[in-house]
Amino acid sequence: MNQEQDLQKRMMIFFVVVAVLMIGYSVFSSYFFESPQDSQKAQIQQTEKQAPPQNQTESVQETQQEPANNRTEKTPAVNYTAGGSFNLVLDNRRLNSDSLQDTVSVKTEFGEVVFSKIGGRVISIYVEKYKTDIVSEFAKKNRIFPTEVITTDPEITALLNFTPYRLERNGNTLTFILEQNGIRVVKKFILDGSVFSFELSTQGLEKYGLAVVNGITLSETESAFGHSGAVVKADRELIKIDTDIEREQVIRGNILWAGEENKYFLQMLATKEGFTATHIVPVAQNKTVVFSEIKPSFEGFFFGGPKLYSLLESLTEKYKKEWNKDLALQDTVDFGFFGILGKPLFFVLHFFYDFTHNWGVAIILLTVLIRIIFFPLNHKSLKAMKKMADLAPEIKKLQKKYKDDPQKLQQEMMKLYAEHGANPMSGCLPIIVQIPVFIALYNVLMVTVELKNAPFILWITDLSSKDPYYILPILMGLSMVAQQWITPSSDKNQRMIMYIMSAIFTFMFMNFPSGLVLYWLTNNILGLIQSYFINKTMGKAKKNS
């Protein structure tokens, strides 16, 4: 095999591997690689508690009907054991205590929040724009909700959460009061959209250990991309724990807030004084409950809503002023390994949306901007490929002439490249520089909730979901074929491999979010236009010479 063919095949293998890695990196990394947040343990002590024997486990299955707003999902049976000082009381007492009918609802700018007068608990946070209830069907079926107060005495825990409270309401301020057996509990909520301040005061519970439920595993998203599970913010790090843990985990230290998240939504609770310990307890297959130890009284806030970067950032700024603490809520939006590039890309994307009010158009404009920025590199790459294609006949003559003398062939080819200012690797290097930008943009389009239920045109009603008619993926595949047809190449085998790659990418992208496919299609079309003008200008220059 001659040197030129060997070099080109090596380059093709490289690009095929890179392309596959670009698409699969972020998805597979969530399964096989430990995140940096999990690996950092500075100033945090994490312990695990062994689960007791199986015959001590309580098992609960719930079959009651739920409100129509709930998204249907397979709900596993509870498989929970009280392995530590706190007991969630996940048994029939919990199931039978609340029919979820004695409720009070509050309309907000995002949708509707529903409280149960039994326990004064948050049982639904429905976000109209995303057609999503932040409180999962699993939580409702098993009657385990955020803002519950858990104690070290299961009987007291049952009293606090399974007993009717007296309600006092003044607009969006709801106060739930329990007075029984010498115990007084007051829960005060002041609602403001998906955020509401939460004040708790108790009397008669001083001899018990107390904790508050920060969150329960959220409903599953359509894609496995992104983290789903517990999230705990300590002083200097954001700790993420997956839902598939088998033992209770306790994180100790100065904890600012804790809760549960998935790719698009967050459920968390923070207090002004913070927490000293947070428990992450597996209660069913891939289901966890997060609760944090508290003092008899506290003031804080609860958030249940979409991970809109601007919203989370504004909340962070608000409490930085009021509490003098950096909650860094916006860090729950995971822009991936190349986050240093992903954040600026997201800000520019948002900037375009503010003017166009269409996320699809914003994606197109961002793609055009990226293409303009990389125009010199792309131009250099395409010109280099064109030169190599023009030299193909001369290279074949050299290969035929020096087929028995590889060393002489190499010398003559290098001489030919030097005479014409060609470099086989000059078409490769500009593309390598752009790979981190592509991966960063890929992550942005995959994790930002702003694209969820965001329409583009006609049949594209949700840029975070696949194209229902596969029109965009097919157009993208055709654009890749056209791009290879117009792009200069000195190797027919290389061109055939790229045609095959076009077919593979078309099938891969059929189930990808339409926003990502739109980016790739736009990028290919711009590449076609650039290739056409380069071929035209270089063709004229060749004729004139």
Side-chain angles (χ1 to χ4, degrees), residues 65-132:
Q65 296 295 317
E66 298 300 333
N69 283 343
N70 295 347
R71 187 175 73 84
T72 302
E73 64 178 38
K74 185 176 180 181
T75 305
V78 168
N79 186 10
Y80 164 73
T81 301
S85 301
F86 294 92
N87 190 334
L88 292 172
V89 193
L90 291 182
D91 56 24
N92 287 325
R93 286 178 293 175
R94 179 178 288 276
L95 296 177
N96 298 330
S97 66
D98 194 348
S99 63
L100 304 185
Q101 299 300 315
D102 189 10
T103 63
V104 57
S105 63
V106 179
K107 297 289 184 180
T108 71
E109 59 180 309
F110 286 103
E112 184 180 34
V113 179
V114 181
F115 293 84
S116 173
K117 295 179 184 178
I118 308 298
R121 303 174 293 177
V122 181
I123 66 170
S124 176
I125 307 172
Y126 188 72
V127 184
E128 179 66 32
K129 181 178 180 180
Y130 303 110
K131 309 299 182 186
T132 299

Side-chain angles (χ1 to χ4, degrees), residues 378-391:
N378 288 324
H379 190 74
K380 181 179 180 181
S381 175
L382 291 171
K383 285 184 67 175
M385 294 173 69
K386 176 65 175 172
K387 282 186 179 180
M388 291 299 299
D390 291 341
L391 290 177

Side-chain angles (χ1 to χ4, degrees), residues 54-293:
Q54 185 65 30
N55 59 10
Q56 297 179 14
T57 301
E58 300 167 348
S59 181
V60 177
Q61 291 184 343
E62 173 58 23
T63 58
Q64 295 186 21
Q65 296 295 317
E66 298 300 333
N69 283 343
N70 295 347
R71 187 175 73 84
T72 302
E73 64 178 38
K74 185 176 180 181
T75 305
V78 168
N79 186 10
Y80 164 73
T81 301
S85 301
F86 294 92
N87 190 334
L88 292 172
V89 193
L90 291 182
D91 56 24
N92 287 325
R93 286 178 293 175
R94 179 178 288 276
L95 296 177
N96 298 330
S97 66
D98 194 348
S99 63
L100 304 185
Q101 299 300 315
D102 189 10
T103 63
V104 57
S105 63
V106 179
K107 297 289 184 180
T108 71
E109 59 180 309
F110 286 103
E112 184 180 34
V113 179
V114 181
F115 293 84
S116 173
K117 295 179 184 178
I118 308 298
R121 303 174 293 177
V122 181
I123 66 170
S124 176
I125 307 172
Y126 188 72
V127 184
E128 179 66 32
K129 181 178 180 180
Y130 303 110
K131 309 299 182 186
T132 299
D133 197 332
I134 309 301
V135 180
S136 66
E137 185 176 345
F138 172 82
K140 294 181 180 182
K141 281 185 175 293
N142 293 285
R143 307 297 194 266
I144 176 74
F145 298 110
T147 69
E148 285 191 9
V149 178
I150 308 299
T151 75
T152 49
D153 185 328
E155 299 303 319
I156 300 299
T157 298
L159 172 68
L160 299 184
N161 297 293
F162 311 153
T163 304
Y165 280 56
R166 184 175 84 253
L167 171 64
E168 296 180 358
R169 180 173 181 177
N170 181 14
N172 281 4
T173 300
L174 284 72
T175 304
F176 296 90
I177 303 171
L178 172 68
E179 294 176 312
Q180 191 168 323
N181 301 338
I183 294 174
R184 176 180 169 86
V185 177
V186 178
K187 292 181 173 182
K188 182 178 180 181
F189 299 94
I190 304 176
L191 275 70
D192 181 14
S194 291
V195 185
F196 37 97
S197 63
F198 177 29
E199 296 180 12
L200 174 72
S201 62
T202 68
Q203 296 176 8
L205 298 176
E206 291 78 9
K207 65 179 181 180
Y208 303 105
L210 300 180
V212 62
V213 174
N214 304 74
I216 301 94
T217 298
L218 306 183
S219 298
E220 298 176 1
T221 56
E222 297 84 355
S223 167
F225 190 93
H227 177 255
S228 179
V231 55
V232 180
K233 179 66 174 77
D235 263 338
R236 300 180 180 177
E237 59 181 310
L238 186 66
I239 302 170
K240 297 188 176 186
I241 298 176
D242 294 337
T243 58
D244 59 354
I245 60 173
E246 297 180 355
R247 303 183 181 97
E248 177 180 350
Q249 299 192 23
V250 182
I251 298 175
R252 302 186 186 279
N254 183 20
I255 297 168
L256 304 182
W257 58 265
E260 292 270 359
E261 69 169 355
N262 61 20
K263 177 170 69 171
Y264 290 136
F265 301 101
L266 175 65
Q267 192 180 101
M268 54 76 64
L269 190 148
T271 66
K272 189 173 183 179
E273 295 183 351
F275 308 114
T276 58
T278 293
H279 302 243
I280 300 93
V281 183
V283 294
Q285 184 179 7
N286 294 325
K287 305 292 180 183
T288 56
V289 174
V290 177
F291 62 86
S292 300
E293 298 178 23

Side-chain angles (χ1 to χ4, degrees), residues 221-223 263-264 445-446 448 451-456 459-470 472-473 509-518:
T221 56
E222 297 84 355
S223 167
K263 177 170 69 171
Y264 290 136
L445 298 178
M446 288 294 285
T448 50
L451 298 184
K452 185 174 176 61
N453 290 349
F456 175 40
W459 73 99
I460 303 296
T461 58
D462 184 357
L463 286 167
S464 71
S465 299
K466 67 179 183 180
D467 183 337
Y469 303 111
Y470 304 111
L472 285 182
F509 273 67
M510 280 185 172
N511 291 314
F512 274 32
S514 53
L516 182 64
V517 184
L518 177 63

